[in-house]
Amino acid sequence: MGSRRGRVVALLVLAGLPPVVEQAALAAVPLHAARGLAPQVTAVWPYDSYHDLRWLLVYHDSWLTFVLGLLGITLARGLLSAGLTALAWPAGTPRPAWGWLVRRNLEVAVLAAVVISPWAALSVAFSAVALSWYLFASLGPMLVLAPFLVRAGVAAGWWRGLPTIELFGWSALNFVLLTLAGALISTTPGWWAVGVAGLAGVANGLLWQRTVADAALPARMRWRRVPVAPIAIVLTMAGAVWAQSLIGIAAPGPGVWRPPVLTERLPDRVNHAVIVLDGHDSDWEGEAPADPRVERFSYAGLDARGRPLPYPPAATHRSLDSSSVLLAAQVDALHRRTGRPVALVGQSEGSMVVRTYLEKLPPGPVTAAVMFSPLVQAGRTYYPPPGHEGWGVATGWELRVLFWLAGRPQPVKDDPDEPFVRSVLIDAPFYRNRTLCPVPGVRMIAFLPTVSAAEAPPGEYSRIPVYQQPAFHGGLIGQRMVEDRVIAFLAGERVEQPRREYGLLQRLGAAWQAPPLALSLNPVWSASREGDPARTGRVCEAR
């Protein structure tokens, strides 16, 4: 009994200590936005490998450091998991030799690195462009693979048959635990979070005890002769390629955006002329808005008469700087034609064009700006262009390979090196710190779908009025109540509707975001004097 109790104590100490160490390091640095990741360091497979790979894919600055880091985390993960498995082994059941457990868990660590790495790379891409589609897409495979990989570290014939429902349940419970622990740590101030991380690690140890027992003890198994695990692994890796056709580097909008401001005449109480900016991969065939005071922004520029030109989806892939120059020309042309102050209404990429224009060019006649689904704290990670080394070099090439494979039978519409994405990566200090900050002389509001809460790390995200509504990215478009609020804002009324659950959703997503790259580390960003919300949890800090 004493020996059994000692093994349990040792298991809980081994599971609880690494999260404490990581959380203490994050508090000392500090790196506020990554605090929710620490409990995953001793989670069951594959959440542990997902944790390791996200750190590695963000924090390597050359191929040498990537290869050495990959070897290091694979070795450390195999040894740690072998120790947790040995201590969690059920009493009364013969346990394999220590050498077999080490060898097997090293093999599982290699397998997990191969299978999980594409999804971890997508998670890093999510942090670069701040789109929740990547976050949600990368979590599904973790839930599916968990019971298979847990069995792999314990049982010789792990690749045949379905895992038991209990094993699915315990591994899913670990996902819930990690989500809640990340939220609680994000809420807990200062060094108190270290204790929370330690308690989460102890809970991981108890779940190791349950999952190892279920995997090791004989049980009635369905599909005993079917190689279910290899099928699941192949489908998971293929899914990382197929995902590109569905989500791309920037999630597409729902076809052509036709809000009432385009399809209906503006009421007399609106004194502005209005430019409407659609999002990434939108197109426009030249149809005129219902009101002559309203124009659709053209990513192709203006014709000889100063009127916006029709444009194809590929035109939206240009850099944000070049789009903002086109917007400046269109603002001046519309102001000259109407003699009215100009209001800008953008969604997704269009809202980022609006914010870039307001920052880098004189706002001139622009006195109001409406931003639908802006990218909240974009530019939290980085990868260099082809032919260069730097932070995230291996991540960039992994994304390029995924997109190349995705375009094999038919080309995908997006590219991880397209000018739009590179402009976000290059100007990351600005987009990370100032996207939702006020601009003198311009009334501003952000219409945020609640899903964008998962896109922003816990902490501040806006210092302009926000109107929040349950929806996915771009999903507020077409809601009549929201469109009425836009007209009210343009008419000069105060419009604001923050939702209480937004902060909670921010914290619940904290565990599953990739760690942000500190602004001070990247030479590409060294000329910037922006504050870093990743360290402080605050936005709009003075330069």
Side-chain angles (χ1 to χ4, degrees):
M1 181 65 70
S3 173
R4 182 175 165 186
R5 185 179 296 114
R7 282 176 52 198
V8 172
V9 171
L11 170 65
L12 299 184
V13 170
L14 183 59
L17 188 57
V20 166
V21 172
E22 180 170 321
Q23 191 64 55
L26 292 172
V29 170
L31 197 59
H32 180 272
R35 297 196 308 156
L37 276 67
Q40 297 167 39
V41 71
T42 54
V44 303
W45 302 103
Y47 310 120
D48 49 1
S49 289
Y50 189 53
H51 162 274
D52 301 344
L53 289 167
R54 282 178 293 160
W55 276 107
L56 176 63
L57 288 172
V58 173
Y59 280 92
H60 71 277
D61 61 355
S62 67
W63 282 105
L64 177 62
T65 56
F66 174 76
V67 171
L68 293 177
L70 183 60
L71 292 173
I73 64 171
T74 301
L75 178 61
R77 180 56 55 197
L79 293 174
L80 178 59
S81 298
L84 290 167
T85 302
L87 293 172
W89 203 269
T93 303
R95 193 192 76 190
W98 170 246
W100 185 92
L101 284 177
V102 170
R103 185 169 58 255
R104 170 52 59 87
N105 279 272
L106 285 172
E107 292 169 354
V108 177
V110 172
L111 175 63
V114 172
V115 177
I116 301 303
S117 181
W119 294 103
L122 288 178
S123 174
V124 174
F126 146 73
S127 290
V129 295
L131 280 171
S132 53
W133 303 113
Y134 283 117
L135 178 65
F136 300 145
S138 64
L139 294 182
M142 306 303 117
L143 292 165
V144 171
L145 290 177
F148 294 103
L149 294 181
V150 167
R151 282 184 67 206
V154 175
W158 65 275
W159 53 276
R160 289 193 299 264
L162 283 174
T164 63
I165 190 64
E166 290 82 7
L167 204 49
F168 273 103
W170 289 120
S171 58
L173 180 60
N174 202 180
F175 175 85
V176 174
L177 167 70
L178 297 171
T179 302
L180 294 177
L184 186 57
I185 287 172
S186 300
T187 307
T188 305
W191 290 89
W192 291 103
V194 175
V196 178
L199 291 175
V202 169
N204 284 338
L206 296 175
L207 286 171
W208 271 95
Q209 194 176 43
R210 296 310 313 157
T211 54
V212 169
D214 281 333
L217 294 173
R220 184 177 179 182
M221 187 180 302
R222 297 178 181 273
W223 300 359
R224 185 177 294 273
R225 298 181 181 276
V226 179
V228 179
I231 294 172
I233 289 170
V234 169
L235 290 177
T236 298
M237 296 188 69
V241 175
W242 296 336
Q244 310 317 306
S245 300
L246 301 176
I247 57 178
I249 267 297
V256 179
W257 186 30
R258 294 189 178 90
V261 71
L262 286 172
T263 60
E264 302 173 7
R265 294 186 67 86
L266 293 175
D268 292 339
R269 71 182 192 275
V270 175
N271 187 46
H272 289 83
V274 179
I275 297 177
V276 178
L277 299 87
D278 209 341
H280 195 265
D281 274 322
S282 63
D283 65 346
W284 179 53
E285 296 180 354
E287 61 274 16
D291 194 310
R293 291 181 288 164
V294 179
E295 285 184 352
R296 188 185 287 272
F297 170 69
S298 173
Y299 287 92
L302 304 177
D303 63 17
R305 297 181 303 150
R307 297 287 187 165
L309 292 165
Y311 64 86
T316 67
H317 295 201
R318 65 191 312 140
S319 72
L320 288 168
D321 280 348
S322 66
S323 293
S324 67
V325 171
L326 295 180
L327 177 59
Q330 190 166 341
V331 165
D332 291 342
L334 180 62
H335 178 62
R336 287 195 303 270
R337 180 169 67 81
T338 64
R340 294 173 179 267
V342 177
L344 305 176
V345 179
Q347 70 108 350
S348 192
E349 182 184 349
S351 67
M352 305 304 286
V353 175
V354 168
R355 190 61 186 87
T356 305
Y357 162 78
L358 293 176
E359 180 68 19
K360 299 191 175 183
L361 297 166
V366 174
T367 60
V370 179
M371 297 189 291
F372 277 94
S373 297
L375 306 182
V376 182
Q377 290 193 29
R380 297 197 299 275
T381 55
Y382 183 80
Y383 51 88
H388 296 77
E389 285 211 348
W391 293 99
V393 59
T395 310
W397 280 106
E398 187 162 7
L399 290 171
R400 292 177 194 114
V401 169
L402 286 174
F403 275 77
W404 181 82
L405 291 173
R408 281 318 78 198
Q410 103 182 32
V412 293
K413 58 191 173 184
D414 294 306
D415 182 333
D417 292 302
E418 67 181 50
F420 165 63
V421 176
R422 291 243 62 95
S423 66
V424 174
L425 295 176
I426 291 170
D427 287 334
F430 167 70
Y431 295 115
R432 189 188 293 191
N433 187 40
R434 296 197 175 271
T435 297
L436 299 184
C437 297
V439 174
V442 181
R443 294 178 63 241
M444 300 174 68
I445 187 171
F447 284 79
L448 300 177
T450 48
V451 74
S452 66
E455 299 166 5
E460 278 189 329
Y461 57 91
S462 176
R463 290 193 183 175
I464 63 174
V466 295
Y467 186 100
Q468 294 164 348
Q469 193 78 355
F472 287 101
H473 183 85
L476 294 176
I477 299 165
Q479 294 188 23
R480 187 70 214 198
M481 180 176 62
V482 172
E483 304 292 354
D484 290 343
R485 295 296 86 206
V486 172
I487 297 299
F489 175 82
L490 295 178
E493 299 178 25
R494 181 174 177 82
V495 176
E496 192 168 6
Q497 180 180 288
R499 297 184 69 94
R500 188 174 300 175
E501 69 269 21
Y502 196 90
L504 173 62
L505 293 173
Q506 268 188 289
R507 293 188 289 272
L508 289 174
W512 306 112
Q513 298 177 7
L517 179 63
L519 290 181
S520 59
L521 291 179
N522 193 352
V524 175
W525 301 332
S526 60
S528 170
R529 293 186 295 170
E530 293 282 0
D532 191 353
R535 289 188 179 275
T536 65
R538 297 187 297 273
V539 296
C540 307
E541 293 189 286
R543 291 183 172 93

